[in-house]
Amino acid sequence: MLPRICIKFKLKYFISVILAVLLLDYLGAFTHVFEEDFDQTFHYPMEGDILSQVYQLRHGQRPSVDPINSYNYSYITDCSHKCKEDDRLIAPRLVLIVKSAMKNFDRRVAIRKSWGWEKRFSDVKIRTVFMLGRPAVPDRRLQSLIDLEYANYRDIVQGDFVDAYFNNTIKTMMGFRWAVTQCPRAKFYMFADDDFYVSSKNLLKYVRNPVNYPEYLEETDEALRKLARRLSQTTTNNNSSDSNSLESNGTRPLVPSKKLERKKRQILNMDMELPSDVKLFSGFVFRSAPHRHRCSKWYVSLKEYPWHMWPTYVTAGAFLLSHEALFEMYYVSMYTKHFRFDDIYLGIVALKAGIEPLHSEEFYFHKAPFLGPQSYKYVLATHGYDDPEELVKIWNEVRAAGYA
């Protein structure tokens, strides 16, 4: 009798151990043992002096090594007119490339009414396009609605690839390709998902001094407050001596508000403009490890990626590129093996291009709490606006306060 009990106990113990091992394997516990050290061994196809090949490609020369990767999908609509639609020779200052799903018509309308509004500033040329793919199963009704939307707004760039989550890299790189081929003279390119709030006004301030944003604006605001107090005191003193005094030409003295506005323009214009060759790749920067548990949506096997850490990367929901960074990363991508996560892929491309991502806390990968317009004073982009009505309402409030 005792041996039988022992056998049952051992059998239960054995089964428990087997189940525990299987569970740990499923959760990726053993996988970590076999990971390679990123800092010591990272390499990613292709290897070699790819920057020489990139230089040759960019300058119209035949590279000594052919590209290994190409996102050469055709366009259903390409918006080739978008940066050529007027006779002005002024290149766009900012191009907004919005990654959108086909069915998200309301979100696109809301963006056109808010942060994607191209005529937001009379003196700054902005262009907005929406990047779409096509459905996995042909849908004539949906496609006809997209065609009608394009006819009305002429801002849809639709690629002939399946619009799916794991094709986001394709969508992103099609956006790169469109920017390089159709809007090559723009100074800055902002990529964002269609559930983001973006402040184009703050972006234009950010690119003046990205390393010190928003501190340099806070210093400016403080200097202007001191100036306003001095002007107010001067005006009070002048008014007490002669409230009806006129200038020699018969006009009243310049009021403090006009002096303040003139001084503000002078201060802002003093900010150094980024040199044209600066490679700015900015957003919310992460350094994290691959998901090894098989139940994760973002599971990655050792065969696909053997290293214990990802390269430094920017969350793909919203990121900003200067002209030089976009072009360099686009051509480097031709010598970089495809990877299904777009933010990781861009991190690898940036690493191979020698571009270090610049972190900014004002890019929010989650939803920034809205506690009134003042709370969004310096926000560049924030996730979480999948409600089109909320987006338009918040943007209008922040714009009225001068921050959008």
Side-chain angles (χ1 to χ4, degrees):
M1 192 69 182
L2 187 61
R4 187 175 298 176
I5 293 174
C6 290
I7 292 172
K8 288 182 178 180
F9 176 78
K10 290 180 179 180
L11 183 61
K12 289 181 179 179
Y13 178 78
F14 179 75
I15 293 173
S16 298
V17 170
I18 293 297
L19 290 175
V21 170
L22 291 175
L23 178 61
L24 289 172
D25 180 63
Y26 184 75
L27 295 177
F30 301 124
T31 306
H32 292 295
V33 177
F34 300 100
E35 290 177 321
E36 296 184 34
D37 186 280
F38 177 91
D39 298 317
Q40 298 295 326
T41 66
F42 182 78
H43 57 88
Y44 197 86
M46 71 171 258
E47 294 301 306
D49 185 16
I50 66 171
L51 294 183
S52 294
Q53 323 304 327
V54 167
Y55 180 87
Q56 292 170 336
L57 275 178
R58 288 193 62 177
H59 292 82
Q61 304 170 16
R62 181 175 178 81
S64 55
V65 178
D66 290 333
I68 66 168
N69 189 25
S70 175
Y71 295 98
N72 198 27
Y73 296 86
S74 61
Y75 289 109
I76 299 170
T77 56
D78 64 5
C79 278
S80 58
H81 65 278
K82 181 56 75 168
C83 294
K84 307 172 185 176
E85 61 185 13
D86 56 45
D87 296 327
R88 293 183 299 169
L89 298 178
I90 303 173
R93 174 80 172 158
L94 178 64
V95 176
L96 302 168
I97 301 173
V98 186
K99 295 175 289 179
S100 184
M102 292 183 70
K103 61 182 178 61
N104 293 346
F105 297 96
D106 291 344
R107 293 190 190 180
R108 291 193 288 274
V109 170
I111 290 172
R112 293 184 187 106
K113 291 179 179 178
S114 57
W115 59 267
W117 181 26
E118 291 187 337
K119 296 181 179 179
R120 170 69 181 91
F121 306 105
S122 60
D123 57 342
V124 180
K125 188 173 180 179
I126 295 174
R127 291 292 176 260
T128 303
V129 295
F130 296 90
M131 284 297 309
L132 276 62
R134 60 170 174 77
V137 178
D139 186 330
R140 290 185 179 181
R141 180 179 179 277
L142 179 59
Q143 186 58 53
S144 65
L145 291 174
I146 295 295
D147 294 340
L148 180 61
E149 183 180 13
Y150 176 77
N152 287 335
Y153 298 104
R154 291 172 57 79
D155 58 5
I156 302 292
V157 178
Q158 187 177 15
D160 191 16
F161 61 91
V162 175
D163 204 337
Y165 178 78
F166 287 119
N167 281 347
N168 270 338
T169 299
I170 297 174
K171 179 181 285 187
T172 298
M173 297 316 299
M174 288 291 283
F176 271 63
R177 180 180 153 209
W178 179 86
V180 167
T181 58
Q182 303 297 337
C183 209
R185 294 177 58 239
K187 293 188 176 182
F188 298 97
Y189 303 84
M190 177 70 182
F191 286 72
D193 290 345
D194 64 6
D195 58 351
F196 265 74
Y197 162 97
V198 175
S199 170
S200 55
K201 186 170 187 177
N202 285 345
L203 284 174
L204 295 170
K205 293 178 181 178
Y206 178 73
V207 297
R208 288 180 176 273
N209 194 342
V211 174
N212 297 311
Y213 181 92
E215 288 79 10
Y216 89 96
L217 290 176
E218 293 172 344
E219 293 171 1
T220 299
D221 289 343
E222 179 59 29
L224 291 171
R225 281 192 291 269
K226 291 180 180 178
L227 176 64
R229 286 196 293 269
R230 288 200 304 270
L231 288 173
S232 178
Q233 292 170 0
T234 302
T235 303
T236 301
N237 294 336
N238 289 341
N239 286 342
S240 64
S241 61
D242 184 1
S243 61
N244 296 314
S245 63
L246 298 175
E247 297 285 4
S248 59
N249 61 3
T251 61
R252 295 193 179 279
L254 188 65
V255 296
S257 60
K258 291 183 179 178
K259 284 187 179 180
L260 186 62
E261 185 60 32
R262 185 175 64 187
K263 188 65 176 178
K264 185 175 182 179
R265 288 198 299 270
Q266 290 173 351
I267 292 173
L268 291 176
N269 287 338
M270 284 170 59
D271 293 328
M272 183 178 293
E273 193 76 14
L274 282 181
S276 60
D277 61 348
V278 166
K279 299 174 184 178
L280 176 67
F281 175 32
S282 186
F284 196 96
V285 176
F286 271 106
R287 185 83 195 276
S288 63
H291 286 219
R292 299 302 189 187
H293 43 286
R294 300 176 191 275
C295 57
S296 172
K297 177 182 180 180
W298 302 281
Y299 167 74
V300 177
S301 68
L302 285 174
K303 182 178 180 181
E304 185 177 9
Y305 188 88
W307 296 280
H308 82 297
M309 294 293 292
W310 297 121
T312 303
Y313 65 94
V314 176
T315 52
F319 60 90
L320 180 71
L321 291 159
S322 65
H323 176 276
E324 187 63 19
L326 179 128
F327 271 69
E328 191 78 355
M329 289 175 65
Y330 172 70
Y331 285 104
V332 168
S333 76
M334 295 182 179
Y335 291 94
T336 306
K337 179 184 173 184
H338 173 80
F339 195 78
R340 57 194 166 105
F341 299 141
D342 51 346
D343 47 7
I344 302 301
Y345 182 69
L346 290 179
I348 294 172
V349 169
L351 181 63
K352 294 171 81 70
I355 298 174
E356 183 177 355
L358 178 65
H359 176 73
S360 173
E361 293 288 338
E362 299 303 331
F363 282 91
Y364 290 81
F365 73 97
H366 56 77
K367 189 172 184 178
F370 184 74
L371 306 173
Q374 189 72 18
S375 63
Y376 274 38
K377 183 175 182 178
Y378 299 121
V379 169
L380 297 168
T382 174
H383 188 227
Y385 281 90
D386 49 359
D387 180 349
E389 292 184 3
E390 181 188 18
L391 173 64
V392 174
K393 177 180 179 294
I394 296 298
W395 185 84
N396 280 324
E397 287 186 37
V398 179
R399 180 196 172 204
Y403 307 137

